[in-house]
Amino acid sequence: MEKFLRLKVELNGMYFIFILGTAGSGKTTLTKTFQEYLLDNEMDTAIINLDPAVEHLPYTPDFDVREYVDAYEVMETYNLGPNSALIASIDLILTKASEIKSEIDQIEANYVLIDTPGQIELFAYRETGRLIAELIKGNNKALGLFLLDSYLAKEARSFISLLLLSSSIRFRLDLPIVNVLNKIDLLRDDEVDKILRWSENAENLIDELGKIDEYSIDLVHLLIENLSSNLIPISSTDGKGFDELYAEIQRVIAGGEDYL
Ligand code: GTP
């Protein structure tokens, strides 16, 4: 707790935190648990739901994109399949940009958590997704939390693939990214420690992979030696690791671009 207080940064204005990750990585659950954590520590927090296809939310959003675009209505109205309806929905969000912007401008909070759509590729890899992120954050500071599902990350090749995805999203959205190892309650302590050691030293990861070609060795070095943050282990269901996550966010806020 002492560390938490020492690292607390006085915020000027609002800070936008985009919650990103593959389908089912735990974005919505983390959004809820993190809001509870911030409120318990007396920080004003608001939530934006950007997923037009989510059916049930465990929190009450301050802004809900489904009030403007609902993927299930889009599917019926335009007679589309689920994936096409999602793509169309994300594109349709932009047609409501000015209404959405004026509603979001009403939000007052230290932190605004943004729960992003289930399929990350539909949000991060389409131009509209990037434009929506720009629209929402305006001139405020922002970062992304990229969630790595522990159950996938415990296999070395999956771990590397998730880090590649995280780097690609960092590049695509042009946001500082904090990598978060979520769902650690599903792993033994020694499994979590092993993943953390991989994230600290490329050689540990290369040893785990066994015989690999030069390209893969170079890639692992590039990824591990240029991580934009420490890998933070958490469990959104048990509430573990949130002091450390908050401290890492503070370090990124305090360090700005120099930190990255
Ligand atoms: P989509 O938006 O549908 O892609 O999912 P999401 O990334 O928002 O994930 P969500 O929060 O819906 O969680 C997916 C599943 O993982 C749910 O069954 C959650 O209960 C579970 N889950 C989320 N966080 C944790 C965690 O820390 N530990 C465990 N054991 N399960 C978790």
Side-chain angles (χ1 to χ4, degrees), residues 8-257:
K8 189 173 171 195
V9 169
E10 284 306 320
L11 287 175
N12 289 321
M14 298 198 285
Y15 208 86
F16 285 73
I17 301 179
F18 289 84
I19 318 289
L20 305 155
T22 51
S25 56
K27 298 178 289 294
T28 299
T29 312
L30 179 137
T31 303
K32 174 182 186 286
T33 309
F34 199 25
Q35 182 185 43
E36 287 167 358
Y37 172 87
L38 291 167
L39 291 174
D40 283 349
N41 286 286
E42 295 175 359
M43 276 166 281
D44 279 344
T45 312
I47 295 182
I48 291 177
N49 169 46
L50 265 195
D51 188 349
V54 70
E55 286 183 75
H56 167 71
L57 289 176
Y59 53 76
T60 307
D62 297 82
F63 171 84
D64 191 343
V65 79
R66 292 174 301 174
E67 282 172 24
Y68 292 90
V69 180
D70 185 308
Y72 294 96
E73 281 172 21
V74 170
M75 197 153 87
E76 282 183 10
T77 310
Y78 299 100
N79 199 19
L80 297 173
N83 282 331
S84 313
L86 267 174
I87 292 172
S89 300
I90 305 239
D91 290 350
L92 276 171
I93 293 172
L94 265 194
T95 66
K96 316 272 182 184
S98 58
E99 294 106 300
I100 290 175
K101 181 69 182 155
S102 60
E103 210 182 311
I104 287 175
D105 283 347
Q106 310 290 317
I107 294 177
E108 281 185 20
N110 295 131
Y111 292 97
V112 182
L113 307 179
I114 301 129
D115 190 5
T116 61
Q119 274 102 329
I120 192 159
E121 69 275 22
L122 298 185
F123 178 66
Y125 293 151
R126 293 179 64 75
E127 186 60 6
T128 37
R130 205 179 56 79
L131 292 173
I132 292 164
E134 285 291 321
L135 175 84
I136 288 176
K137 76 180 177 71
N139 292 325
N140 295 289
K141 283 190 165 189
L143 61 71
L145 300 185
F146 182 83
L147 307 195
L148 292 86
D149 187 324
S150 286
Y151 200 71
L152 301 176
K154 70 180 181 174
E155 202 275 314
R157 281 180 192 268
S158 302
F159 180 65
I160 294 168
S161 306
L162 288 170
L163 289 184
L164 275 169
L165 186 57
S166 166
S167 298
S168 141
I169 284 162
R170 175 181 167 192
F171 174 72
R172 180 78 185 135
L173 295 181
D174 196 19
L175 283 177
I177 296 283
V178 172
N179 288 306
V180 178
L181 183 65
N182 191 24
K183 307 191 189 180
I184 55 165
D185 57 290
L186 295 177
L187 301 188
R188 297 188 311 268
D189 288 351
D190 63 301
E191 291 177 309
V192 174
D193 288 345
K194 185 158 89 168
I195 298 171
L196 294 179
R197 280 198 301 277
W198 292 344
S199 74
E200 286 158 8
N201 188 331
E203 292 302 331
N204 294 339
L205 194 46
I206 290 166
D207 285 349
E208 179 75 23
L209 287 164
K211 196 170 170 353
I212 49 169
D213 59 22
E214 284 297 319
Y215 169 78
S216 304
I217 292 173
D218 289 349
L219 187 66
V220 171
H221 275 286
L222 186 72
L223 275 174
I224 299 298
E225 283 149 25
N226 293 284
L227 284 179
S228 59
S229 76
N230 295 321
L231 179 62
I232 308 295
I234 66 158
S235 165
S236 300
T237 46
D238 294 359
K240 272 195 203 138
F242 280 80
D243 278 349
E244 290 75 12
L245 176 60
Y246 182 79
E248 190 67 8
I249 290 171
Q250 294 303 301
R251 270 194 284 273
V252 172
I253 294 174
E257 290 305 308

